[in-house]
mmCIF file of all heavy atoms in Angstrom:
data_model
loop_
_atom_site.group_PDB
_atom_site.id
_atom_site.type_symbol
_atom_site.label_atom_id
_atom_site.label_comp_id
_atom_site.label_asym_id
_atom_site.label_seq_id
_atom_site.Cartn_x
_atom_site.Cartn_y
_atom_site.Cartn_z
ATOM 1 N N VAL A 3 -3.622 7.961 -13.588
ATOM 2 C CA VAL A 3 -3.594 7.686 -12.117
ATOM 3 C C VAL A 3 -5.019 7.662 -11.552
ATOM 4 O O VAL A 3 -5.855 8.557 -11.831
ATOM 5 C CB VAL A 3 -2.752 8.755 -11.397
ATOM 6 C CG1 VAL A 3 -2.898 8.606 -9.867
ATOM 7 C CG2 VAL A 3 -1.354 8.729 -11.830
ATOM 8 N N CYS A 4 -5.399 6.650 -10.804
ATOM 9 C CA CYS A 4 -6.692 6.510 -10.292
ATOM 10 C C CYS A 4 -6.665 6.045 -8.844
ATOM 11 O O CYS A 4 -7.650 5.508 -8.367
ATOM 12 C CB CYS A 4 -7.547 5.523 -11.106
ATOM 13 S SG CYS A 4 -6.864 3.994 -11.579
ATOM 14 N N GLY A 5 -5.571 6.374 -8.171
ATOM 15 C CA GLY A 5 -5.537 6.157 -6.624
ATOM 16 C C GLY A 5 -4.283 5.496 -6.334
ATOM 17 O O GLY A 5 -3.222 5.521 -7.022
ATOM 18 N N VAL A 6 -4.163 4.992 -5.048
ATOM 19 C CA VAL A 6 -2.952 4.295 -4.496
ATOM 20 C C VAL A 6 -3.393 3.140 -3.775
ATOM 21 O O VAL A 6 -4.560 2.904 -3.455
ATOM 22 C CB VAL A 6 -2.204 5.288 -3.533
ATOM 23 C CG1 VAL A 6 -1.663 6.477 -4.189
ATOM 24 C CG2 VAL A 6 -3.101 5.726 -2.337
ATOM 25 N N VAL A 7 -2.408 2.188 -3.570
ATOM 26 C CA VAL A 7 -2.633 1.065 -2.794
ATOM 27 C C VAL A 7 -1.699 1.073 -1.564
ATOM 28 O O VAL A 7 -0.547 1.481 -1.588
ATOM 29 C CB VAL A 7 -2.391 -0.303 -3.518
ATOM 30 C CG1 VAL A 7 -0.912 -0.297 -4.095
ATOM 31 C CG2 VAL A 7 -2.705 -1.464 -2.669
ATOM 32 N N THR A 8 -2.327 0.866 -0.340
ATOM 33 C CA THR A 8 -1.460 0.969 0.834
ATOM 34 C C THR A 8 -0.643 -0.327 1.001
ATOM 35 O O THR A 8 -0.978 -1.372 0.411
ATOM 36 C CB THR A 8 -2.350 1.127 2.059
ATOM 37 O OG1 THR A 8 -3.222 -0.050 2.236
ATOM 38 C CG2 THR A 8 -3.220 2.304 1.938
ATOM 39 N N GLY A 9 0.458 -0.254 1.699
ATOM 40 C CA GLY A 9 1.345 -1.365 1.818
ATOM 41 C C GLY A 9 0.713 -2.546 2.688
ATOM 42 O O GLY A 9 -0.081 -2.359 3.559
ATOM 43 N N ASP A 10 1.120 -3.777 2.213
ATOM 44 C CA ASP A 10 0.643 -4.901 3.015
ATOM 45 C C ASP A 10 1.279 -4.855 4.424
ATOM 46 O O ASP A 10 2.404 -4.394 4.632
ATOM 47 C CB ASP A 10 1.152 -6.189 2.381
ATOM 48 C CG ASP A 10 0.398 -6.359 0.947
ATOM 49 O OD1 ASP A 10 -0.525 -5.635 0.660
ATOM 50 O OD2 ASP A 10 0.995 -7.240 0.181
ATOM 51 N N MET A 11 0.622 -5.409 5.419
ATOM 52 C CA MET A 11 1.052 -5.407 6.764
ATOM 53 C C MET A 11 1.244 -6.945 7.138
ATOM 54 O O MET A 11 0.594 -7.829 6.598
ATOM 55 C CB MET A 11 0.031 -4.847 7.733
ATOM 56 C CG MET A 11 -0.421 -3.433 7.411
ATOM 57 S SD MET A 11 0.804 -2.143 7.775
ATOM 58 C CE MET A 11 0.408 -1.958 9.532
ATOM 59 N N GLY A 12 2.337 -7.195 7.954
ATOM 60 C CA GLY A 12 2.542 -8.532 8.307
ATOM 61 C C GLY A 12 3.267 -9.385 7.361
ATOM 62 O O GLY A 12 2.912 -10.599 7.161
ATOM 63 N N VAL A 13 4.222 -8.804 6.656
ATOM 64 C CA VAL A 13 5.129 -9.491 5.685
ATOM 65 C C VAL A 13 6.478 -9.741 6.355
ATOM 66 O O VAL A 13 7.042 -8.772 6.809
ATOM 67 C CB VAL A 13 5.129 -8.790 4.382
ATOM 68 C CG1 VAL A 13 6.064 -9.591 3.437
ATOM 69 C CG2 VAL A 13 3.854 -8.637 3.791
ATOM 70 N N SER A 14 7.068 -10.889 6.213
ATOM 71 C CA SER A 14 8.402 -11.187 6.924
ATOM 72 C C SER A 14 9.464 -10.588 6.014
ATOM 73 O O SER A 14 9.359 -10.144 4.881
ATOM 74 C CB SER A 14 8.547 -12.679 7.077
ATOM 75 O OG SER A 14 8.815 -13.262 5.796
ATOM 76 N N LYS A 15 10.693 -10.586 6.629
ATOM 77 C CA LYS A 15 11.900 -10.188 5.894
ATOM 78 C C LYS A 15 12.016 -11.035 4.589
ATOM 79 O O LYS A 15 12.554 -10.472 3.596
ATOM 80 C CB LYS A 15 13.156 -10.406 6.729
ATOM 81 C CG LYS A 15 13.398 -9.278 7.768
ATOM 82 C CD LYS A 15 14.700 -9.391 8.405
ATOM 83 C CE LYS A 15 15.015 -8.232 9.270
ATOM 84 N NZ LYS A 15 16.279 -8.491 10.011
ATOM 85 N N LYS A 16 11.603 -12.184 4.590
ATOM 86 C CA LYS A 16 11.796 -13.141 3.393
ATOM 87 C C LYS A 16 10.747 -12.856 2.326
ATOM 88 O O LYS A 16 10.673 -13.361 1.334
ATOM 89 C CB LYS A 16 11.739 -14.572 3.819
ATOM 90 C CG LYS A 16 12.966 -14.927 4.687
ATOM 91 C CD LYS A 16 12.862 -16.437 5.108
ATOM 92 C CE LYS A 16 14.050 -16.898 5.974
ATOM 93 N NZ LYS A 16 13.956 -18.265 6.304
ATOM 94 N N GLY A 17 9.696 -11.878 2.620
ATOM 95 C CA GLY A 17 8.702 -11.612 1.766
ATOM 96 C C GLY A 17 7.421 -12.526 1.880
ATOM 97 O O GLY A 17 6.629 -12.542 1.032
ATOM 98 N N GLU A 18 7.482 -13.298 2.913
ATOM 99 C CA GLU A 18 6.390 -14.301 3.166
ATOM 100 C C GLU A 18 5.366 -13.794 4.204
ATOM 101 O O GLU A 18 5.730 -13.095 5.110
ATOM 102 C CB GLU A 18 7.008 -15.536 3.698
ATOM 103 C CG GLU A 18 7.945 -16.243 2.768
ATOM 104 C CD GLU A 18 8.679 -17.361 3.430
ATOM 105 O OE1 GLU A 18 8.595 -17.479 4.690
ATOM 106 O OE2 GLU A 18 9.431 -18.093 2.733
ATOM 107 N N PRO A 19 4.115 -14.047 4.032
ATOM 108 C CA PRO A 19 3.019 -13.576 4.917
ATOM 109 C C PRO A 19 3.263 -14.280 6.274
ATOM 110 O O PRO A 19 3.367 -15.444 6.384
ATOM 111 C CB PRO A 19 1.719 -13.953 4.210
ATOM 112 C CG PRO A 19 2.096 -15.022 3.301
ATOM 113 C CD PRO A 19 3.481 -14.774 2.895
ATOM 114 N N LYS A 20 3.083 -13.453 7.343
ATOM 115 C CA LYS A 20 3.065 -13.988 8.696
ATOM 116 C C LYS A 20 1.651 -14.189 9.094
ATOM 117 O O LYS A 20 0.702 -13.884 8.400
ATOM 118 C CB LYS A 20 3.794 -12.931 9.599
ATOM 119 C CG LYS A 20 5.261 -12.702 9.202
ATOM 120 C CD LYS A 20 5.949 -11.815 10.216
ATOM 121 C CE LYS A 20 5.508 -10.352 10.119
ATOM 122 N NZ LYS A 20 6.364 -9.439 10.973
ATOM 123 N N ASP A 21 1.489 -14.705 10.360
ATOM 124 C CA ASP A 21 0.142 -14.902 10.865
ATOM 125 C C ASP A 21 -0.619 -13.614 10.907
ATOM 126 O O ASP A 21 -1.906 -13.606 10.896
ATOM 127 C CB ASP A 21 0.247 -15.544 12.305
ATOM 128 C CG ASP A 21 0.860 -16.905 12.347
ATOM 129 O OD1 ASP A 21 0.763 -17.535 11.186
ATOM 130 O OD2 ASP A 21 1.265 -17.394 13.369
ATOM 131 N N SER A 22 0.082 -12.488 11.108
ATOM 132 C CA SER A 22 -0.581 -11.166 11.161
ATOM 133 C C SER A 22 -0.864 -10.515 9.839
ATOM 134 O O SER A 22 -1.170 -9.315 9.734
ATOM 135 C CB SER A 22 0.241 -10.249 12.066
ATOM 136 O OG SER A 22 1.623 -10.115 11.449
ATOM 137 N N TYR A 23 -0.617 -11.215 8.788
ATOM 138 C CA TYR A 23 -0.669 -10.661 7.363
ATOM 139 C C TYR A 23 -2.068 -9.988 7.179
ATOM 140 O O TYR A 23 -3.046 -10.608 7.332
ATOM 141 C CB TYR A 23 -0.370 -11.680 6.374
ATOM 142 C CG TYR A 23 -0.556 -11.138 4.942
ATOM 143 C CD1 TYR A 23 0.421 -10.260 4.398
ATOM 144 C CD2 TYR A 23 -1.648 -11.534 4.117
ATOM 145 C CE1 TYR A 23 0.180 -9.804 3.115
ATOM 146 C CE2 TYR A 23 -1.886 -11.093 2.885
ATOM 147 C CZ TYR A 23 -0.951 -10.193 2.279
ATOM 148 O OH TYR A 23 -1.040 -9.693 1.054
ATOM 149 N N THR A 24 -2.017 -8.764 6.664
ATOM 150 C CA THR A 24 -3.189 -8.069 6.207
ATOM 151 C C THR A 24 -2.862 -7.356 4.893
ATOM 152 O O THR A 24 -1.887 -6.570 4.825
ATOM 153 C CB THR A 24 -3.653 -7.034 7.200
ATOM 154 O OG1 THR A 24 -3.824 -7.612 8.441
ATOM 155 C CG2 THR A 24 -4.950 -6.373 6.696
ATOM 156 N N PRO A 25 -3.514 -7.701 3.757
ATOM 157 C CA PRO A 25 -3.218 -7.020 2.530
ATOM 158 C C PRO A 25 -3.568 -5.576 2.558
ATOM 159 O O PRO A 25 -4.480 -5.111 3.231
ATOM 160 C CB PRO A 25 -4.109 -7.766 1.464
ATOM 161 C CG PRO A 25 -5.189 -8.378 2.325
ATOM 162 C CD PRO A 25 -4.663 -8.636 3.696
ATOM 163 N N GLY A 26 -2.841 -4.819 1.751
ATOM 164 C CA GLY A 26 -3.121 -3.406 1.618
ATOM 165 C C GLY A 26 -4.416 -3.167 0.934
ATOM 166 O O GLY A 26 -5.141 -4.045 0.352
ATOM 167 N N VAL A 27 -4.895 -1.928 1.106
ATOM 168 C CA VAL A 27 -6.268 -1.491 0.494
ATOM 169 C C VAL A 27 -6.129 -0.631 -0.655
ATOM 170 O O VAL A 27 -5.196 0.207 -0.657
ATOM 171 C CB VAL A 27 -6.923 -0.732 1.671
ATOM 172 C CG1 VAL A 27 -8.331 -0.288 1.134
ATOM 173 C CG2 VAL A 27 -7.241 -1.638 2.893
ATOM 174 N N GLU A 28 -6.909 -0.836 -1.674
ATOM 175 C CA GLU A 28 -6.913 0.068 -2.848
ATOM 176 C C GLU A 28 -7.811 1.231 -2.442
ATOM 177 O O GLU A 28 -8.959 1.139 -2.256
ATOM 178 C CB GLU A 28 -7.501 -0.578 -4.095
ATOM 179 C CG GLU A 28 -6.548 -1.752 -4.623
ATOM 180 C CD GLU A 28 -6.999 -2.246 -5.947
ATOM 181 O OE1 GLU A 28 -7.928 -1.606 -6.537
ATOM 182 O OE2 GLU A 28 -6.420 -3.255 -6.439
ATOM 183 N N LEU A 29 -7.126 2.427 -2.527
ATOM 184 C CA LEU A 29 -7.883 3.681 -2.334
ATOM 185 C C LEU A 29 -7.990 4.382 -3.722
ATOM 186 O O LEU A 29 -7.061 4.932 -4.193
ATOM 187 C CB LEU A 29 -7.106 4.592 -1.392
ATOM 188 C CG LEU A 29 -6.721 4.027 0.069
ATOM 189 C CD1 LEU A 29 -5.878 4.948 0.815
ATOM 190 C CD2 LEU A 29 -8.087 3.753 0.817
ATOM 191 N N ARG A 30 -9.196 4.238 -4.305
ATOM 192 C CA ARG A 30 -9.375 4.770 -5.604
ATOM 193 C C ARG A 30 -10.042 6.119 -5.551
ATOM 194 O O ARG A 30 -10.869 6.424 -4.677
ATOM 195 C CB ARG A 30 -10.208 3.776 -6.413
ATOM 196 C CG ARG A 30 -9.489 2.455 -6.663
ATOM 197 C CD ARG A 30 -10.188 1.494 -7.605
ATOM 198 N NE ARG A 30 -9.359 0.454 -7.999
ATOM 199 C CZ ARG A 30 -8.667 0.318 -9.150
ATOM 200 N NH1 ARG A 30 -8.800 1.400 -9.973
ATOM 201 N NH2 ARG A 30 -7.976 -0.668 -9.471
ATOM 202 N N ALA A 31 -9.736 6.953 -6.554
ATOM 203 C CA ALA A 31 -10.260 8.312 -6.582
ATOM 204 C C ALA A 31 -10.312 8.911 -7.977
ATOM 205 O O ALA A 31 -9.599 8.453 -8.891
ATOM 206 C CB ALA A 31 -9.307 9.239 -5.670
ATOM 207 N N LYS A 32 -11.133 9.928 -8.021
ATOM 208 C CA LYS A 32 -11.222 10.688 -9.400
ATOM 209 C C LYS A 32 -9.937 11.484 -9.539
ATOM 210 O O LYS A 32 -9.470 11.591 -10.647
ATOM 211 C CB LYS A 32 -12.378 11.620 -9.312
ATOM 212 C CG LYS A 32 -13.762 10.885 -9.385
ATOM 213 C CD LYS A 32 -14.959 11.818 -9.072
ATOM 214 C CE LYS A 32 -16.279 11.080 -8.952
ATOM 215 N NZ LYS A 32 -17.410 11.909 -8.628
ATOM 216 N N TYR A 33 -9.448 12.050 -8.321
ATOM 217 C CA TYR A 33 -8.168 12.668 -8.439
ATOM 218 C C TYR A 33 -7.322 12.377 -7.206
ATOM 219 O O TYR A 33 -7.884 12.114 -6.144
ATOM 220 C CB TYR A 33 -8.354 14.234 -8.472
ATOM 221 C CG TYR A 33 -8.877 14.737 -9.907
ATOM 222 C CD1 TYR A 33 -10.155 14.951 -10.093
ATOM 223 C CD2 TYR A 33 -7.956 14.723 -10.915
ATOM 224 C CE1 TYR A 33 -10.568 15.362 -11.337
ATOM 225 C CE2 TYR A 33 -8.355 14.979 -12.192
ATOM 226 C CZ TYR A 33 -9.665 15.339 -12.390
ATOM 227 O OH TYR A 33 -10.121 15.699 -13.675
ATOM 228 N N THR A 34 -5.957 12.218 -7.444
ATOM 229 C CA THR A 34 -5.002 11.886 -6.332
ATOM 230 C C THR A 34 -4.101 12.969 -6.145
ATOM 231 O O THR A 34 -3.395 13.346 -7.250
ATOM 232 C CB THR A 34 -4.360 10.520 -6.609
ATOM 233 O OG1 THR A 34 -5.318 9.511 -6.903
ATOM 234 C CG2 THR A 34 -3.504 10.036 -5.478
ATOM 235 N N VAL A 35 -3.931 13.481 -4.958
ATOM 236 C CA VAL A 35 -2.952 14.550 -4.724
ATOM 237 C C VAL A 35 -1.800 13.969 -3.950
ATOM 238 O O VAL A 35 -1.981 13.338 -2.938
ATOM 239 C CB VAL A 35 -3.674 15.702 -3.864
ATOM 240 C CG1 VAL A 35 -2.626 16.785 -3.615
ATOM 241 C CG2 VAL A 35 -4.856 16.222 -4.634
ATOM 242 N N PHE A 36 -0.566 14.189 -4.444
ATOM 243 C CA PHE A 36 0.635 13.616 -3.760
ATOM 244 C C PHE A 36 1.266 14.773 -2.958
ATOM 245 O O PHE A 36 1.769 15.762 -3.579
ATOM 246 C CB PHE A 36 1.540 13.075 -4.888
ATOM 247 C CG PHE A 36 0.952 11.874 -5.478
ATOM 248 C CD1 PHE A 36 0.031 11.935 -6.587
ATOM 249 C CD2 PHE A 36 1.177 10.520 -4.953
ATOM 250 C CE1 PHE A 36 -0.495 10.761 -7.213
ATOM 251 C CE2 PHE A 36 0.606 9.448 -5.547
ATOM 252 C CZ PHE A 36 -0.186 9.592 -6.630
ATOM 253 N N ALA A 37 1.337 14.528 -1.662
ATOM 254 C CA ALA A 37 1.871 15.448 -0.763
ATOM 255 C C ALA A 37 2.775 14.807 0.265
ATOM 256 O O ALA A 37 2.668 14.958 1.520
ATOM 257 C CB ALA A 37 0.670 16.170 -0.013
ATOM 258 N N GLU A 38 3.668 14.062 -0.237
ATOM 259 C CA GLU A 38 4.629 13.161 0.636
ATOM 260 C C GLU A 38 5.667 13.974 1.278
ATOM 261 O O GLU A 38 6.455 13.322 2.110
ATOM 262 C CB GLU A 38 5.201 12.087 -0.285
ATOM 263 C CG GLU A 38 4.223 11.170 -0.911
ATOM 264 C CD GLU A 38 4.952 10.183 -1.855
ATOM 265 O OE1 GLU A 38 5.389 10.624 -2.879
ATOM 266 O OE2 GLU A 38 5.114 9.024 -1.419
ATOM 267 N N GLY A 39 5.966 15.138 0.871
ATOM 268 C CA GLY A 39 7.079 15.943 1.328
ATOM 269 C C GLY A 39 8.371 15.751 0.458
ATOM 270 O O GLY A 39 8.222 15.101 -0.602
ATOM 271 N N CYS A 40 9.477 16.252 0.924
ATOM 272 C CA CYS A 40 10.673 16.227 0.063
ATOM 273 C C CYS A 40 11.083 14.787 -0.314
ATOM 274 O O CYS A 40 11.089 13.907 0.597
ATOM 275 C CB CYS A 40 11.774 16.861 0.886
ATOM 276 S SG CYS A 40 13.403 16.913 0.103
ATOM 277 N N ARG A 41 11.387 14.574 -1.574
ATOM 278 C CA ARG A 41 11.810 13.324 -2.132
ATOM 279 C C ARG A 41 10.829 12.154 -1.893
ATOM 280 O O ARG A 41 11.200 11.028 -1.509
ATOM 281 C CB ARG A 41 13.176 12.928 -1.645
ATOM 282 C CG ARG A 41 13.893 11.865 -2.344
ATOM 283 C CD ARG A 41 14.493 12.312 -3.654
ATOM 284 N NE ARG A 41 15.419 11.308 -4.200
ATOM 285 C CZ ARG A 41 16.211 11.453 -5.263
ATOM 286 N NH1 ARG A 41 16.137 12.712 -5.930
ATOM 287 N NH2 ARG A 41 16.984 10.610 -5.646
#
């Protein structure tokens, strides 16, 4: 594990990019701590 990628923004229900589409960002790290809460 070397990080996470954030979700794309501006994607339609059909999975197609809208005018507001912004790709997610790769957040890379030496260590990644997962603290999402239950499940």
Side-chain angles (χ1 to χ4, degrees):
V3 172
C4 50
V6 295
V7 58
T8 64
D10 295 347
M11 307 283 277
V13 178
S14 73
K15 278 187 177 180
K16 297 179 180 179
E18 300 170 347
K20 299 184 289 189
D21 292 341
S22 59
Y23 175 73
T24 305
V27 178
E28 289 189 11
L29 303 174
R30 292 183 171 267
K32 296 173 182 175
Y33 286 103
T34 307
V35 180
F36 292 86
E38 301 173 284
C40 178
R41 194 73 169 193

